[in-house]
Amino acid sequence: MNSGYVLVTGASTGIGHACASALADKGFHVFAGVRREADGERIRKEIAGKVEPVMLDVTNPEHIVAAKQHITEVAGEKGLRGLVNNAGIAVAAPLEFVPMADFELQMNVNVNGLLAVTQAFLPLLRVASGRICLISSTNGFFAPPFMGPYSASKFAVEALGDSLRVELAPWNIRVSIVQPGAIQTPIWEKSKASNEAMLNRMPAECHALYGRAMDVMRREAQKMANRAVPAGRVADCVVHAITAAKPKTRYLCGGGARTEWLVARWMPDSLRDRIIRMVIGI
Ligand SMILES: NC(=O)c1ccc[n+]([C@@H]2O[C@H](COP(=O)([O-])OP(=O)(O)OC[C@H]3O[C@@H](n4cnc5c(N)ncnc54)[C@H](OP(=O)(O)O)[C@@H]3O)[C@@H](O)[C@H]2O)c1
């Protein structure tokens, strides 16, 4: 059994919930980041073991300060054994028309928030020679059309992970990047709803220029969602990254991840573009 403290951001549902549950199951005291009191109450009931919800919107500096203060008081000299930077949203739209406010929100949650939380908790992680997990995506190395905002955020997460890994090596703070493919979580439905609302606000020109291709991409996304695997697959990787003597620098997991990696790594860009254009008919 493990002991010690870990923080998981975005633990209300999906991968964060599965990670909080798996880490509590391994004996950790899990601080589970949520944005609503009701979610905190719910996960207390749903997850067995030591799970303590903390109010943490990663874009809210006051939340970060308060969470840091509370966790420092509780964890004390033991420090933080793990930080799982999981909170995320997915903005999908043609880059020509994506409203800058939506693009900024995408980057604020997935990138700026992740870095702000990491900065805040590094002193506590240093005390425990803790581990950091960044939940990236296959979109961290493969950027399909209309997924530009989300992919840009995940490419940035990959860059932060590579830099942090070497910067933090002197203190034996290991950094792992987790690259899930398609995982069964509410993100598919949540982003479908928010992206449709965003597209409804866009000019007719956007729909005239990109509408048909976006319809095809939506159908392709639905096919991916149908092939998605349970979030426990990602949680297994996160548990390994936090507990193994030799954590991996990167974990590929879930629906289609390996195929996407092989395509990104070995297929020439021009061939990949031709295939994507053929599929979406542009
Ligand atoms: N599902 C997939 O196929 C897949 C694949 C690759 C990577 N990922 C990545 O996995 C991570 C988790 O996503 P998921 O699939 O588990 O989706 P999810 O069920 O929608 O979970 C996202 C979590 O992030 C939280 N969140 C959103 N905005 C936040 C903010 N400003 N501050 C703090 N928390 C915030 C959500 O909280 P609320 O409930 O309060 O909104 C929720 O707890 C994301 O980084 C995502 O990009 C997912």
Side-chain angles (χ1 to χ4, degrees):
M1 241 7 202
N2 299 280
S3 63
Y5 298 90
V6 295
L7 167 62
V8 181
T9 65
S12 66
T13 54
I15 292 170
H17 187 288
C19 291
S21 180
L23 290 163
D25 196 48
K26 294 283 174 204
F28 289 104
H29 179 130
V30 179
F31 296 103
V34 293
R35 293 194 295 169
R36 285 171 293 271
E37 300 280 353
D39 286 331
E41 291 308 312
R42 175 175 52 77
I43 62 173
R44 252 190 224 282
K45 291 181 196 135
E46 287 170 350
I47 299 177
K50 285 176 264 170
V51 171
E52 185 181 343
V54 288
M55 203 49 59
L56 184 53
D57 181 325
V58 299
T59 64
N60 185 328
E62 286 169 18
H63 281 194
I64 295 176
V65 168
K68 179 183 176 178
Q69 199 175 341
H70 174 68
I71 293 173
T72 304
E73 277 164 22
V74 177
E77 288 170 2
K78 282 189 130 185
L80 197 60
R81 179 78 188 118
L83 167 62
V84 184
N85 277 303
N86 163 76
I89 57 170
V91 176
L95 288 167
E96 182 176 354
F97 288 100
V98 64
M100 284 314 292
D102 294 85
F103 188 81
E104 281 160 16
L105 179 65
Q106 173 73 91
M107 301 308 271
N108 278 340
V109 177
N110 290 18
V111 184
N112 303 10
L114 177 152
L115 182 59
V117 169
T118 305
Q119 287 180 344
F121 286 96
L122 266 171
L124 271 184
L125 285 159
R126 192 170 276 116
V127 171
S129 291
R131 305 270 172 94
I132 299 176
C133 259
L134 308 182
I135 306 297
S136 175
S137 166
T138 50
N139 290 110
F141 53 78
F142 182 63
F146 311 124
M147 292 298 289
Y150 181 67
S151 302
S153 77
K154 293 302 187 180
F155 270 64
V157 168
E158 298 275 330
L160 293 179
D162 281 341
S163 294
L164 280 170
R165 196 174 58 248
V166 181
E167 288 174 13
L168 301 177
W171 298 281
N172 198 24
I173 299 172
R174 311 290 283 270
V175 179
S176 297
I177 300 172
V178 182
Q179 301 169 312
I183 308 295
Q184 289 160 9
T185 73
I187 204 170
W188 299 88
E189 284 307 313
K190 284 189 207 171
S191 51
K192 195 166 148 196
S194 58
N195 288 323
E196 249 145 51
M198 176 180 61
L199 289 169
N200 287 339
R201 300 195 310 270
M202 289 194 190
E205 197 189 355
C206 171
H207 297 278
L209 291 169
Y210 294 107
R212 207 168 49 84
M214 282 195 299
D215 283 344
V216 179
M217 280 305 282
R218 264 194 288 272
R219 286 200 291 277
E220 290 301 315
Q222 188 54 53
K223 284 187 207 161
M224 273 186 76
N226 296 342
R227 287 196 299 268
V229 302
R233 289 274 287 277
V234 185
D236 290 345
C237 297
V238 168
V239 167
H240 188 272
I242 302 280
T243 60
K246 289 189 179 165
K248 299 205 286 186
T249 56
R250 281 186 165 75
Y251 293 82
L252 261 183
C253 58
R258 196 150 294 279
T259 312
E260 280 185 65
W261 185 84
L262 286 170
V263 168
R265 179 84 176 76
W266 297 111
M267 192 182 279
D269 291 349
S270 54
L271 177 59
R272 184 176 77 183
D273 293 355
R274 269 210 304 281
I275 294 172
I276 294 174
R277 288 183 62 186
M278 208 166 64
V279 171
I280 62 177
I282 57 173

